[in-house]
Amino acid sequence: MASSERIFVQAIRRYCAGHGIAVDVRAGGWLIAMHRGGTRHFAFGYDIGLNSSIAHRLANDKSATAEALGLEDVPCIPHHLFLNPSMGAQIAGPDWHKAMLALLAQSPQGVVVKPNEGTSGRSVFKATNRNELDRAVSEVFASSLGLVIAPYVEIKDEVRVILLDERPMIVYRKERPSVVGDGVRSLRELSIAAGHDHQLRELDARDASAIVPKGERRVLNWRHNLDAGARPVLIENGEVHAACVKLAIDAASAIGIAFASIDVIRVDGAWQVLEINSGVMMEALGKLYPELVQATYDAALDRVFDEERRGT
């Protein structure tokens, strides 16, 4: 087993080795064929094929997810869709830029601009004025056919719930990198001393130079993505676990998805759905909790091959 392979690929290899299933890894691990008897199953990207095509497409489309959740009165962050104007005015519409500015005007804390499809927090920008908005839109449209604009909100907590058939397999909080002031050093100096120097690009220059009062905690990144430096912290029971699991189950039921990771956030004391991911990626989590991640993928793959035995 190549150590450079993604944890997702390694997990599938282990499962197949333990169940007498032939596995053929293609396209650098992004396409995996699993073959037993006369049946072949595919895994593509981070999708093992448990979800229906419509549930998969809804979850991968942030705007469609928000619309579908709204139909079922599941609390969620609105995501307004804009199509790339390079596709033509008949598709993008003639007033797309004016509509973007209207959303910005309606959001006193600013807006978040990101691709309509995609994960890991890539090409995600916060904009508080027209210039920042235009730069963000130009950046996203350079590589995406569609983007979404959501109101920026102060997120108190962000929790990811990984569900399989409405059963919570893993629940964890995303803890953003932070430092505690000593009343002597600046935010930049504290960040470097804590090994978070890669977070400096996220900080405003004036904030980075300011002395942090003693005992005051400062979060270094507004994003909660693990790829942006957040750390997964397991939540095994309690009020937060129960509230997040219930909301995640409601969201999964609303779009009819079987295996997914669902991000829920707490804003002003209330929990809302941020997004749903049909491809369940656990690369960062797998480095800290490999047995838990393997058990989750095993359970999902059991479902894949149980369906085969039932002839469904």
Side-chain angles (χ1 to χ4, degrees):
M1 183 185 302
S3 59
S4 61
E5 282 186 333
R6 290 177 298 141
I7 286 172
F8 178 77
V9 179
Q10 295 176 28
I12 290 179
R13 284 191 185 276
R14 291 190 188 98
Y15 180 87
C16 290
H19 291 78
I21 300 168
V23 60
D24 190 358
V25 177
R26 301 293 182 95
W30 293 101
L31 175 64
I32 304 172
M34 297 167 281
H35 184 269
R36 182 169 65 184
T39 305
R40 179 177 286 113
H41 293 283
F42 290 101
F44 184 74
Y46 286 96
D47 183 3
I48 65 169
L50 268 182
N51 299 320
S52 71
S53 60
I54 190 63
H56 173 74
R57 292 191 66 181
L58 284 172
N60 282 354
D61 186 302
K62 296 178 178 63
S63 174
T65 294
E67 295 286 357
L69 295 183
L71 290 173
E72 295 296 324
D73 294 323
V74 177
C76 67
I77 297 295
H79 286 72
H80 301 275
L81 174 66
F82 293 89
L83 297 176
N84 198 314
S86 66
M87 300 168 69
Q90 288 186 329
I91 295 176
D95 298 322
W96 58 272
H97 190 251
K98 185 183 297 184
M100 289 180 175
L101 293 176
L103 288 174
L104 178 62
Q106 296 164 15
S107 305
Q109 297 185 84
V111 295
V112 175
V113 181
K114 53 189 173 182
N116 188 38
E117 299 183 17
T119 59
S120 302
R122 296 182 177 90
S123 297
V124 177
F125 303 94
K126 179 184 177 184
T128 57
N129 57 56
R130 178 171 180 162
N131 288 337
E132 291 176 348
L133 176 64
D134 287 346
R135 282 196 297 270
V137 168
S138 177
E139 186 80 19
V140 177
F141 273 157
S143 59
S144 301
L145 292 178
L147 62 76
V148 287
I149 294 181
Y152 175 80
V153 293
E154 289 287 348
I155 298 175
K156 176 65 175 176
D157 294 293
E158 181 169 330
V159 172
R160 172 161 288 184
V161 180
I162 298 175
L163 288 179
L164 175 62
D165 296 326
E166 300 190 351
R167 178 163 56 106
M169 305 300 295
I170 305 175
V171 181
Y172 64 88
R173 178 169 54 86
K174 299 178 183 181
E175 186 177 273
R176 291 175 292 173
S178 63
V179 295
V180 177
D182 57 9
V184 176
R185 289 177 290 177
S186 68
L187 183 58
R188 176 182 290 106
E189 292 169 327
L190 290 167
S191 300
I192 293 172
H196 295 315
D197 47 299
H198 59 289
Q199 297 288 342
L200 292 175
R201 64 180 180 274
E202 301 291 338
L203 303 176
D204 177 88
R206 182 179 299 177
D207 291 340
S209 300
I211 302 299
V212 181
K214 186 175 182 179
E216 187 171 303
R217 181 174 296 278
R218 294 284 178 86
V219 175
L220 302 178
N221 198 317
W222 63 273
R223 299 177 181 86
H224 283 75
N225 305 88
L226 300 185
D227 283 359
R231 183 173 66 95
V233 179
L234 294 180
I235 304 173
E236 297 184 1
N237 48 48
E239 183 179 338
V240 169
H241 183 279
C244 292
V245 167
K246 181 185 183 305
L247 182 55
I249 290 173
D250 289 344
S253 177
I255 68 167
I257 200 163
F259 186 42
S261 60
I262 300 172
D263 291 335
V264 299
I265 59 175
R266 181 159 56 180
V267 179
D268 295 330
W271 290 99
Q272 302 179 61
V273 176
L274 180 62
E275 61 182 49
I276 301 175
N277 299 290
S278 177
V280 179
M281 180 172 66
M282 296 186 281
E283 300 299 306
L285 194 67
K287 295 173 183 177
L288 297 174
Y289 307 102
E291 294 182 357
L292 185 59
V293 166
Q294 183 69 50
T296 300
Y297 282 133
D298 284 353
L301 288 164
D302 278 345
R303 270 271 279 110
V304 170
F305 288 97
D306 280 347
E307 289 187 357
E308 172 198 317
R309 285 193 290 273
R310 291 197 302 266
T312 57

